[in-house]
Each structure stands twice: as C-alpha cells, then as structure tokens.
C-alpha cells in the first residue's frame, strides 16, 4: 500500500467508524493483531477493546463528530490533528450526562501493515479541556 492509500484509510477510520459509528468496518480496516496504545487502562488494547471504546463514546456523545484539521503521512505512518465535538448525553468516564457540548483537540498516529490495515495507534487527547467543558457547574 502507498502512503496515499494509508492516509485515505486513516480518514475513513475517523470519519466513517467514529463519526458515523460504522463498527462493521473494523474487519476491513483494522489488522487482527491491532494494538491501541492510547486506550484507558481498563480497556484491552485490542480490536475488541477499541470496539468497546467506540460504543462508550457513541453512547455518551451520540452527536460525536471529528473534523480533520491536518494530515500527513509517509510510508506506513499517518498523523492526524483533529478537532472533536460532542454533547454529553450519556455517562462518560464517571461523568453523568449534562447536555453540555465540548470541543477538544486530538493528535493521532497510525501505523499500517503491508496489507493497508491499521496495525497500531497512538493518540494525545486534550481530555482535561474536554472534561472541564462537560462538568456540571
């Protein structure tokens, strides 16, 4: 796969899997031995763990939407700088639903295998900024 193919797949993961909640795409986009280095400690760093995180996010933020601000890639690696937005309608990381909307920044790094499936993921999320916007007064 080319760097352009990997960038296209990274965009699909963010826009189709996370924005649209299309978990049925996991098998075609993620390697069977996928490792996520950014999931919370109580969630396995496996494809199943990421599926559970997707369910958690979409349950808490039914209107979850990411916008890709910057993207770059070389070889088997892709980096994205994104803005996330969502309204807290369900429980999330101990927070009860507040109906408040948050906007936060994330940086994602992806490594793809030779077949073009996502093999590894790392991210940095402005969790403090997000949670401070969502907290009850």
């Amino acid at each position: 796969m080319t760097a352009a193919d990997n960038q296209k797949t990274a965009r699909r993961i963010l826009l189709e899997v996370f924005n649209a909640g299309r978990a049925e795409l996991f098998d075609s986009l993620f390697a069977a031995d996928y490792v996520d280095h950014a999931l919370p400690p109580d969630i396995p760093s496996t494809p199943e763990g990421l599926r559970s995180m997707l369910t958690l996010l979409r349950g808490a933020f039914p209107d979850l939407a990411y916008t890709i601000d910057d993207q770059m890639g070389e070889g088997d690696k892709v980096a994205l700088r994104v803005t996330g937005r969502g309204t807290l309608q369900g429980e999330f990381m101990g927070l009860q639903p507040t109906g408040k909307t948050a906007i936060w920044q994330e940086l994602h790094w992806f490594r793809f295998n030779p077949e073009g499936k996502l093999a590894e993921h790392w991210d940095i999320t402005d969790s403090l900024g997000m949670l401070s916007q969502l907290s009850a007064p």
Side-chain angles (χ1 to χ4, degrees), residues 8-99:
K8 182 178 176 182
T9 301
R11 293 179 70 81
R12 287 190 68 204
I13 289 167
L14 199 71
L15 300 177
E16 295 180 39
V17 175
F18 282 86
N19 280 7
R22 297 191 56 204
E24 72 273 9
L25 296 176
F26 266 84
D27 291 340
S28 64
L29 299 176
F30 292 82
D33 59 351
Y34 167 79
V35 176
D36 197 305
H37 301 281
L39 291 174
D42 57 332
I43 297 178
S45 61
T46 62
E48 294 76 26
L50 185 59
R51 282 180 201 253
S52 70
M53 188 64 183
L54 177 61
T55 300
L56 174 75
L57 280 170
R58 302 282 315 159
F61 302 97
D63 62 343
L64 178 68
Y66 286 105
T67 303
I68 298 172
D69 301 314
D70 286 305
Q71 176 177 319
M72 44 194 316
E74 185 175 320
D76 65 350
K77 303 217 176 43
V78 174
L80 298 176
R81 184 178 64 84
V82 304
T83 300
R85 291 173 178 77
T87 306
L88 187 59
Q89 300 293 328
E91 185 178 338
F92 181 71
M93 310 294 267
L95 286 179
Q96 295 304 308
T98 62

